Amino acid sequence: MTMREDRVRAGAPSERARFRDLVRTFRTGVRAARRSRVVSGLVLVSLLAGLSTEVFDRLWTSQVVDAWGGPTAFGITSGAAWFTVFALVGSALALLASLLVDRWRPAMLRHAHPHRLLAVLTALQVAGVVGFATSGSLAPALAAMWVRDAARAVAQPVQAAWLHRSIDSDTRATVASLTGQADALGQVVGGPPLGALASRTSVPLALLVSAAVYAPAIEVFRRLRPNPRPTGHEAAPRNS
């Protein structure tokens, strides 16, 4: 009700119903991704994220149960209860991290070209996975996981806003869909092999491999530069 889409230009119902219009829109989105360094870079990062994150999201609970058996403090012995506590603490820390960054470094979140911030947040995510995989006890493993989740929570809206600023309204939904499909494709391609690796060797080894797969995204962000001649809503970086 308050976030109205006043700038959206919708076509006539008859035009939206035509298959060739959908194909034309898709092709336009692909062309926009190809000619924009920012968009193509973010699509690549989404693919790397999909390749690497699926195994962590599916197997971190298995690692907790298999390696440490779960805590039994405060008279709570139910695994479901403890995993609920872990999730609530992670969500609270992610929210706190977002609020602190927004309070102390708002210019970083709103920068027109936040490649350095996203490179740092991606490095924290990789370090969090490595820390979780190599921890010898539950407490540092959870701390590493919460660092990873907090960095991810801060990074996702910044990355999405950067993508939307870099494309025209005509193809915004299509290009945003491309990044989502790249992430989904990465999950389909990367999830089963890493899951098989975890079954044949160990969960920590599969997690370390997933961290290595995602690590190149740090360099992608670090090297990502705006287009020489921005189009649409992409603008030159502002220094605040």
Side-chain angles (χ1 to χ4, degrees):
M1 294 174 63
T2 60
M3 302 175 67
R4 298 172 57 187
E5 297 181 349
D6 296 328
R7 298 183 181 181
V8 174
R9 296 180 298 172
S14 59
E15 293 176 348
R16 293 199 300 266
R18 296 175 183 171
F19 180 76
R20 65 173 178 270
D21 291 328
L22 299 178
V23 173
R24 186 187 308 118
T25 302
F26 177 77
R27 289 176 177 173
T28 303
V30 172
R31 286 196 297 268
R34 287 179 176 176
R35 68 171 176 261
S36 171
R37 296 176 183 175
V38 172
V39 175
S40 58
L42 294 181
V43 170
L44 176 58
V45 168
S46 296
L47 178 63
L48 293 174
L51 287 169
S52 62
T53 58
E54 180 73 1
V55 67
F56 187 93
D57 293 340
R58 303 302 179 191
L59 295 182
W60 75 268
T61 53
S62 175
Q63 174 65 8
V64 169
V65 172
D66 294 343
W68 304 295
T72 56
F74 308 108
I76 303 176
T77 58
S78 169
W82 275 115
F83 281 117
T84 301
V85 172
F86 298 158
L88 291 174
V89 172
S91 298
L93 291 176
L95 176 60
L96 179 62
S98 299
L99 293 175
L100 290 177
V101 174
D102 185 57
R103 180 177 179 84
W104 291 340
R105 292 291 186 270
M108 295 174 59
L109 296 179
R110 296 167 177 80
H111 201 284
H113 194 69
H115 64 290
R116 293 188 181 90
L117 173 63
L118 289 173
V120 171
L121 293 173
T122 302
L124 287 175
Q125 294 178 62
V126 172
V129 175
V130 173
F132 181 89
T134 58
S135 294
S137 58
L138 179 59
L142 291 175
M145 181 185 69
W146 289 332
V147 167
R148 178 242 185 200
D149 291 347
R152 189 179 183 185
V154 175
Q156 285 179 337
V158 175
Q159 183 175 329
W162 190 15
L163 172 68
H164 288 195
R165 286 196 302 267
S166 303
I167 49 183
D168 297 326
S169 60
D170 307 13
T171 57
R172 181 169 294 138
T174 303
V175 175
S177 178
L178 285 178
T179 61
Q181 291 300 320
D183 182 272
L185 176 62
Q187 293 181 37
V188 171
V189 173
L194 289 176
L197 178 64
S199 298
R200 292 179 177 273
T201 57
S202 66
V203 171
L205 179 59
L207 295 178
L208 290 174
V209 172
S210 73
V213 170
Y214 194 38
I218 303 172
E219 188 66 11
V220 173
F221 279 129
R222 197 183 70 83
R223 292 178 174 269
L224 203 54
R225 296 293 183 269
N227 296 327
R229 297 176 181 176
T231 59
H233 292 278
E234 184 177 12
R238 298 188 306 269
N239 292 322
S240 302

